């Protein structure tokens, strides 16, 4: 194709002229003379032959492809809107496509190193592409609407108080842009569904400006000053997606994944189902947070499967050059760590969330707040969830669908840093230097990354079951929010897959400081594999850990990452957790520990009753003791409500003892306990109770002091914990953990042990005694285990 024959030579897959009768007003968005000629040529080729000379009129929209200074609206738009002819508004645009790579038209790093974004060529490049690669040039037509229909939509929004704060002409232009974006998205794909002018759309809306006026009144400041402040906050917070950057970042993520991991494991059908849900309701993705890779790999998976990019809440600490601008343009919006007393900031964040949900843009954040340093799911944070729930209650969407996403790793690149932090080391501050160091450290591939999607949660359906919703939609004390967060956490745990690494580290840490051969490891794994099979627990793959070859391969992977070491003996190679790596091994074990907690609690309840010589109403006593242990561990695990928990303990008893009823009638607790062999509680719960015991001993030592400083206990606990390990009073080195000590301190605070009162001394002493008693029962189970 060449020359200047724009009017007669059609482009590939040209759209048809709308079938409705005239008059017509074509709203053209162009960025240069070639695009104007191409669109004029399309009009000449496709306009109805019956259209009279004055029935086809043209006006120009300000171009939006880049963030150039926005020109004034073409005065012809206003003239034709008020002429009374009710024209059919037809938006038109030329789009430019990248070259095909691996069957998909995407931007690559080669583009940024040559001539920039191929989707937005400058006028000179446009002529070159049109002449030599016309397949990369297309015309799109937005949905056509009658002028009176657009006017009615605008007037309805004014009446309902949902006005955008702009006049009819500007609103008409915005509608045309929206329809052009939708038409372009059909061609490019939903992976580029992003807002064009999020900050402008936000701060220019009537609800926003009215809110600014109210804030100015309440703070006794001028409207202009408050408007300037809220605009700054909108600029600080809002993501500014760029399809160009999205493609480039996705290419970089692909390279990082290939460098650090072997494969991504997910179900394409599940993602297709999520895409369908997202067509009708805004989606909120709530992934578990184990690694700095989490956001990157989820972004990549959504992109690969044609889902729109998420608007991801990120900490302001990640907004450093040059990463911050790149993250913002790939979909991250940044939130300050603290803004409790900053009402203008909270107002802007609320309105930004409203805007995203109203437009059905998907959201993402980590409900745990930060990365798990222990491997277990952290206690949920309610802040962002409250903003989303309150936005729903304000009417931003007819429903919001929450998608729990468990992201599990065969091995985690960050695990060494986590172990160091748990042992008392400082967290390394994020910076460009930190990023470079992290990327350089990706030497050994760490297996696969596994995605599992929990059952979606309808916010509308969930809230409909709650009886105590507040009248004020902005009430931060909404009791439904913690319940919803708890439900998200439960669904995350339910689908977290058990990996070979997690089970093998569980076996090694179960070995009472013995080194294990491959055959030994297979033997130790046997009961756990049987439990996984009987309970039909989720797994990352067909585990195959009853086969020595698979076990040996998993041990070799752990050794290559420095978690395990081996010794070549005369008859066998033996393995053990490397010195100072118990916290790293425990991290992998803890990712699946929740599946075994109820069984371990049941074992501990039974040994307690055996030691008591309990008789009469045994089932009731088992439940009571299990509830007591559950209360001690309530800051570690997501337990069911009391009645459901009782049923779960009963299930453990029934599953392990087929003669349970007979043994209850005979009051033979020891016989019930025997049916639980081999015991798992020492491997599952001993590290927690040993860590708690350390904190309890420090509190007891200071029992007679007033005003114990909780923060001062942490370094003392690390020091005393290391001492206890050397003395043999703590059997598990992974018990010396800041994360576990913090949970113990939370439990102590929950029991009022840092307050001063008439029973405080006794309460502190009883707390320490209760924890020592738990450790003693675990030791007695060890004796039973060997017997």
């Amino acid at each position: 194709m060449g020359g200047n024959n724009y009017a007669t030579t059609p482009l590939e897959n040209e759209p048809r002229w709308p079938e409705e009768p005239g008059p017509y007003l074509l709203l053209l968005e162009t960025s240069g003379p070639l695009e104007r000629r191409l669109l004029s040529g399309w009009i000449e080729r496709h306009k109805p032959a019956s259209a009279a000379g004055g029935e086809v009129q043209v006006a120009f929209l300000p171009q939006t492809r880049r963030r150039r200074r926005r020109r004034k609206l073409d005065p012809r738009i206003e003239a034709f809107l008020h002429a009374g002819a009710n024209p059919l508004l037809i938006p038109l645009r030329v789009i430019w496509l990248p070259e095909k790579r691996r069957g998909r038209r995407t931007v690559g790093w080669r583009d940024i190193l040559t001539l920039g974004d191929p989707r937005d060529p400058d006028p000179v490049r446009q002529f070159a592409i049109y002449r030599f690669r016309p397949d990369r040039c297309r015309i799109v037509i937005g949905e056509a609407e009658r002028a009176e229909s657009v006017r009615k939509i605008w007037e309805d929004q004014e009446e309902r108080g949902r006005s955008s704060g702009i006049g009819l002409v500007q609103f008409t232009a915005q509608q045309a842009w929206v329809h052009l974006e939708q038409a372009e998205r059909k061609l490019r794909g939903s992976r580029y569904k992003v807002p064009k002018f999020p900050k402008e759309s936000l701060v220019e809306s009537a609800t926003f400006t009215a809110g600014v006026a109210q804030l100015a009144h309440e703070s006794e400041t001028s409207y202009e000053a408050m408007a300037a402040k809220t605009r700054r906050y909108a600029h600080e917070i809002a993501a500014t997606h760029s399809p160009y950057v999205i493609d480039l970042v996705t290419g970089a993520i692909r390279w990082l994944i290939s460098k650090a991991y072997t494969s991504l494991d997910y179900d394409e059908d599940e993602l297709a189902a999520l895409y369908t849900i997202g067509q009708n309701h805004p989606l909120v993705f709530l992934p578990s947070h184990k690694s700095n890779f989490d956001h990157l790999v989820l972004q990549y998976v959504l992109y690969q499967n044609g889902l729109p990019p998420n608007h991801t809440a990120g900490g302001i600490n990640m907004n450093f050059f040059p990463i911050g601008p790149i993250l913002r343009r790939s979909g991250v919006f940044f939130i300050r760590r603290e803004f409790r007393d900053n009402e203008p900031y909270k107002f802007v964040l609320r309105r930004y969330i409203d805007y995203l949900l109203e437009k059905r843009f998907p959201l993402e954040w980590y409900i745990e707040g930060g990365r798990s340093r222990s491997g277990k799911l952290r206690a949920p944070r309610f802040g962002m969830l409250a903003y989303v729930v309150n936005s729903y209650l304000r009417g931003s969407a007819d429903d919001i669908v929450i998608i729990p996403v468990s992201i599990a790793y065969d091995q985690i690149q960050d695990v060494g840093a986590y172990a160091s932090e748990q042992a008392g080391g400082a967290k390394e501050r994020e910076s460009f230097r930190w990023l470079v160091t992290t990327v350089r450290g990706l030497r050994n591939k760490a297996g696969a990354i596994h995605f599992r999607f929990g059952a979606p949660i309808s916010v509308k359906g969930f809230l409909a079951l709650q009886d105590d919703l507040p009248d004020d939609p902005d009430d931060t004390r909404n009791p439904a929010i913690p319940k919803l967060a708890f439900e998200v956490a439960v669904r995350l745990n339910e689908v977290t897959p058990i990996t070979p690494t997690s089970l093998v580290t569980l076996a090694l840490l179960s070995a009472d400081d013995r080194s294990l051969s491959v055959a030994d490891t297979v033997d130790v794994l046997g009961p756990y594999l049987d439990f996984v099979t009987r309970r039909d627990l989720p797994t990352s793959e067909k585990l195959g850990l009853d086969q020595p070859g698979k076990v040996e391969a998993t041990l070799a992977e752990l050794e290559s990452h420095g978690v395990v070491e081996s010794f070549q003996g005369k008859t066998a190679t033996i393995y053990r957790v490397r010195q100072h790596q118990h916290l790293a091994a425990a991290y992998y074990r803890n990712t699946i520990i929740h599946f075994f907690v109820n069984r371990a609690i049941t074992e501990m309840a039974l040994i307690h009753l055996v030691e008591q010589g309990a008789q009469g109403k045994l089932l009731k006593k088992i439940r009571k003791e299990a509830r007591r242990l559950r209360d001690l561990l309530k800051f570690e695990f997501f337990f069911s409500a009391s009645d459901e928990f009782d049923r779960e303990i009963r299930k453990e008893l029934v599953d392990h003892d087929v003669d349970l009823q007979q043994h209850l009638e005979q009051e033979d607790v020891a016989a019930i306990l025997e049916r639980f062999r081999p015991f798992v509680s020492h491997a599952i719960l001993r590290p927690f109770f040993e860590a708690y015991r350390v904190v309890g001993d420090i509190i007891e030592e200071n029992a007679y002091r007033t005003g114990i400083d909780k923060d001062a206990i942490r370094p003392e606990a690390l020091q005393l914990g290391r001492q206890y390990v050397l003395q043999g009073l703590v059997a598990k080195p992974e018990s010396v953990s800041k994360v576990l000590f913090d949970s113990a301190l939370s439990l102590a605070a929950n029991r009022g042990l840092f307050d001063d009162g008439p029973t405080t001394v006794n309460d502190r002493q009883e707390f320490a005694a209760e924890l020592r008693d738990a450790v003693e029962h675990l030791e007695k189970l060890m004796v039973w285990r060997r017997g």
Side-chain angles (χ1 to χ4, degrees):
M1 181 183 296
N4 297 320
N5 200 11
Y6 308 107
T8 60
T9 307
L11 294 173
E12 188 174 325
N13 297 324
E14 282 194 346
R16 295 181 178 180
W17 191 279
E19 295 182 358
E20 295 185 49
Y24 307 100
L25 177 59
L26 290 106
L27 301 175
L28 277 53
E29 182 184 359
T30 66
S31 65
L34 176 61
E35 292 188 358
R36 286 194 292 273
R37 295 179 194 175
L38 291 173
L39 294 181
S40 297
W42 180 89
I43 294 170
E44 290 300 318
R45 288 193 299 276
H46 292 276
K47 68 181 181 181
S50 60
E55 278 199 309
V56 178
Q57 298 291 342
V58 171
F60 288 90
L61 297 168
Q63 74 87 27
T64 60
R65 187 174 294 132
R66 283 186 181 176
R67 294 184 173 274
R68 305 179 180 103
R69 188 170 62 184
R70 297 170 71 180
R71 301 192 304 266
K72 292 182 180 180
L73 287 167
D74 188 335
R76 286 175 290 185
I77 299 177
E78 183 173 12
F80 286 116
L81 286 177
H82 292 95
N86 191 23
L88 185 68
L89 307 177
I90 306 174
L92 276 179
R93 174 190 287 171
V94 174
I95 68 169
W96 304 89
L97 303 175
E99 293 182 14
K100 273 191 176 182
R101 295 182 174 92
R102 293 185 290 274
R104 180 178 295 160
R105 293 188 182 273
T106 60
V107 174
W109 284 95
R110 186 177 64 185
D111 295 305
I112 197 172
L113 296 173
T114 53
L115 299 170
D117 189 353
R119 281 181 293 238
D120 185 18
D122 59 54
V124 174
R125 289 178 63 208
Q126 288 177 4
F127 277 100
I129 294 171
Y130 176 70
R131 181 175 179 82
F132 298 109
R133 294 294 306 277
D135 62 300
R136 290 177 52 193
C137 178
R138 303 288 175 84
I139 292 173
V140 294
I141 181 170
E143 179 184 348
E145 289 184 292
R146 290 288 174 189
E148 285 303 315
S149 297
V150 176
R151 181 190 297 274
K152 180 134 187 0
I153 296 171
W154 176 70
E155 290 174 345
D156 287 347
Q157 289 190 0
E158 293 280 329
E159 291 174 5
R160 296 200 314 266
R162 300 295 294 274
S163 167
S164 58
I166 57 177
L168 174 61
V169 179
Q170 180 69 30
F171 181 79
T172 301
Q174 284 195 357
Q175 287 290 98
W177 283 326
V178 168
H179 293 322
L180 285 171
E181 288 296 304
Q182 291 170 344
E184 185 172 338
R185 197 180 308 138
K186 289 179 181 178
L187 189 60
R188 297 193 191 276
S190 289
R191 62 174 55 85
Y192 303 113
K193 180 188 175 184
V194 297
K196 268 291 185 186
F197 299 109
K199 288 180 282 193
E200 294 86 342
S201 301
L202 177 65
V203 302
E204 292 174 2
S205 69
T207 53
F208 190 92
T209 54
V212 171
Q214 183 177 349
L215 285 170
H217 174 73
E218 292 172 352
S219 61
E220 299 181 354
T221 188
S222 70
Y223 176 86
E224 290 74 17
M226 185 58 68
K229 177 180 286 189
T230 53
R231 281 178 180 272
R232 285 198 306 272
Y233 289 154
H235 182 79
E236 177 184 315
I237 292 171
T240 53
H241 287 81
S242 160
Y244 183 40
V245 175
I246 289 171
D247 278 347
L248 294 177
V249 167
T250 305
I253 294 172
R254 183 188 299 113
W255 175 79
L256 279 173
I257 293 171
S258 68
K259 188 174 176 64
Y261 290 94
T262 57
S263 61
L264 300 178
D265 166 33
Y266 58 86
D267 187 333
E268 292 181 357
D269 292 337
E270 284 186 316
L271 287 162
L274 295 181
Y275 178 88
T276 301
I277 296 172
Q279 298 302 296
N280 301 307
H281 305 292
L283 302 181
V284 173
F285 289 85
L286 296 182
S288 58
H289 199 13
K290 298 291 193 293
S291 168
N292 280 316
F293 270 87
D294 292 335
H295 168 66
L296 301 178
V297 293
L298 179 56
Q299 178 179 347
Y300 180 77
V301 166
L302 296 177
Y303 177 94
Q304 287 294 103
N305 288 271
L307 274 74
N310 292 340
H311 285 70
T312 303
I316 199 73
N317 59 304
M318 294 300 292
N319 190 20
F320 58 86
F321 184 83
I323 299 304
I326 295 173
L327 290 176
R328 190 184 295 277
R329 286 168 176 77
S330 65
V332 175
F333 63 95
F334 294 105
I335 301 177
R336 296 181 180 183
R337 296 290 189 186
E338 290 293 335
F339 51 89
R340 187 186 308 274
D341 299 322
N342 191 335
E343 290 302 322
Y345 187 92
K346 288 192 285 187
F347 163 77
V348 173
L349 181 58
R350 277 196 297 269
R351 295 304 166 221
Y352 182 60
I353 298 299
D354 288 348
Y355 165 77
L356 295 177
L357 294 173
E358 182 181 334
K359 303 299 182 184
R360 293 206 301 269
F361 291 116
L363 284 169
E364 175 193 338
W365 73 87
Y366 300 112
I367 197 165
E368 300 170 81
R371 287 171 289 158
S372 170
R373 263 56 177 189
S374 68
K376 292 190 303 87
L377 201 63
R378 296 177 63 179
R381 303 290 182 90
F382 305 143
M384 275 296 296
L385 189 63
Y387 274 88
V388 166
V389 170
N390 291 345
S391 180
Y392 164 77
L393 293 173
R394 286 193 297 271
S396 63
D398 60 352
D399 195 5
I400 299 167
V401 179
I402 294 174
I403 311 296
V405 186
S406 174
I407 305 177
Y409 297 77
D410 284 346
Q411 293 198 60
I412 292 178
Q413 299 285 354
D414 320 60
V415 75
Y418 297 163
S420 174
E421 288 179 39
Q422 285 197 75
K427 176 182 179 290
E428 187 175 359
R429 187 171 177 270
E430 288 87 356
S431 64
F432 183 64
R433 180 180 178 182
W434 161 83
L435 176 67
V436 172
T437 302
T438 300
V439 173
R440 284 179 175 174
L442 302 177
R443 295 186 179 91
N444 296 331
K445 291 194 176 184
I449 306 175
H450 310 278
F451 292 82
R452 298 295 184 269
F453 298 94
I457 303 172
S458 160
V459 171
K460 179 180 180 180
F462 186 88
L463 295 181
L465 300 175
Q466 310 305 312
D467 299 325
D468 45 0
L469 295 178
D471 295 330
D472 181 3
D474 290 326
D475 192 338
T476 57
R477 298 165 298 177
N478 187 340
I481 291 168
K483 297 176 184 177
L484 180 56
F486 183 89
E487 183 63 25
V488 171
V490 168
R491 296 194 188 195
L492 281 170
N493 272 339
E494 284 176 347
V495 297
T496 296
I498 295 171
T499 65
T501 300
S502 59
L503 276 179
V504 168
T505 51
L506 174 56
L508 292 172
L509 293 168
S510 304
D512 307 331
D513 293 331
R514 290 186 302 120
S515 298
L516 300 179
S517 67
V518 171
D520 295 333
T521 309
V522 171
D523 290 341
V524 175
L525 284 168
Y528 294 107
L529 291 173
D530 180 61
F531 186 85
V532 169
T533 301
R534 284 190 291 110
R535 296 292 174 93
D536 193 25
L537 299 179
T539 59
S540 61
E541 59 195 86
K542 188 176 186 303
L543 294 174
L545 293 176
D546 54 345
Q547 302 298 316
K550 179 64 175 179
V551 172
E552 187 172 14
T554 305
L555 288 166
E557 284 296 315
L558 285 164
E559 185 174 18
S560 71
H561 283 82
V563 178
V564 166
E565 61 183 359
S566 65
F567 172 74
Q568 184 64 51
K570 181 178 179 181
T571 59
T573 302
I574 57 174
Y575 298 85
R576 68 177 182 182
V577 175
R578 188 184 293 271
Q579 190 176 13
H580 305 308
Q581 290 298 312
H582 286 79
L583 287 169
Y587 189 98
Y588 296 119
R589 176 200 63 194
N590 289 346
T591 61
I592 62 167
I593 200 172
H594 55 279
F595 291 120
F596 303 93
V597 167
N598 282 352
R599 172 178 172 174
I601 285 177
T602 308
E603 291 176 9
M604 290 188 66
L606 290 169
I607 191 65
H608 176 78
L609 296 182
V610 168
E611 292 298 313
Q612 277 190 335
Q615 294 183 338
K617 299 182 178 179
L618 287 184
L619 189 57
K620 181 178 180 180
K621 290 178 179 178
I622 293 170
R623 289 171 176 166
K624 181 180 179 182
E625 177 61 13
R627 282 196 185 189
R628 184 184 68 82
L629 294 167
R630 167 180 173 264
D631 187 67
L632 284 173
L633 296 166
K634 64 186 177 184
F635 288 96
E636 297 290 353
F637 303 103
F638 296 93
F639 291 110
S640 302
S642 298
D643 291 343
E644 179 61 26
F645 178 73
D646 288 346
R647 287 189 285 271
E648 291 168 357
I649 296 302
R650 169 84 187 204
K651 176 176 172 56
E652 295 293 339
L653 294 166
V654 170
D655 283 358
H656 286 86
D657 187 1
V658 294
D659 301 313
L660 176 65
Q661 194 57 42
Q662 176 185 338
H663 290 147
L664 290 173
E665 292 171 358
Q666 295 171 349
E667 299 187 346
D668 193 348
V669 186
I672 300 173
L673 180 58
E674 282 290 334
R675 296 294 175 88
F676 277 76
R677 287 183 181 274
F679 305 128
V680 302
S681 51
H682 67 289
I684 303 300
L685 295 181
R686 183 157 188 159
F688 297 92
F689 283 120
E690 286 187 334
Y692 282 34
R693 180 256 178 102
V694 171
V695 172
D697 286 356
I698 294 174
I699 290 174
E700 184 180 43
E701 182 183 354
N702 295 277
Y704 289 91
R705 291 181 56 186
T706 58
I708 295 178
D709 183 2
K710 182 172 70 171
D711 293 332
I713 292 179
R714 291 188 180 92
E716 289 185 44
L718 285 168
Q719 188 175 18
L720 184 62
R722 293 179 185 125
Q723 174 188 321
Y724 279 3
V725 170
L726 295 172
Q727 291 177 304
L729 298 175
V730 164
K732 300 288 186 181
E734 65 270 23
S735 303
V736 184
S737 161
K738 282 173 63 177
V739 174
L740 299 187
F741 293 151
D742 283 345
S743 297
L745 290 169
S746 296
L747 178 64
N750 179 257
R751 294 194 174 187
L753 301 185
F754 301 119
D755 304 326
D756 297 320
T759 64
T760 298
V761 172
N762 185 62
D763 292 343
R764 291 168 176 171
Q765 292 171 337
E766 287 187 352
F767 179 70
E770 184 177 13
L771 295 171
R772 283 194 296 269
D773 183 63
V775 174
E776 288 174 7
H777 282 126
L778 286 163
E779 290 174 348
K780 289 171 182 174
L781 270 171
M782 291 291 291
V783 174
W784 269 62
R785 177 169 168 256
R786 297 186 186 108

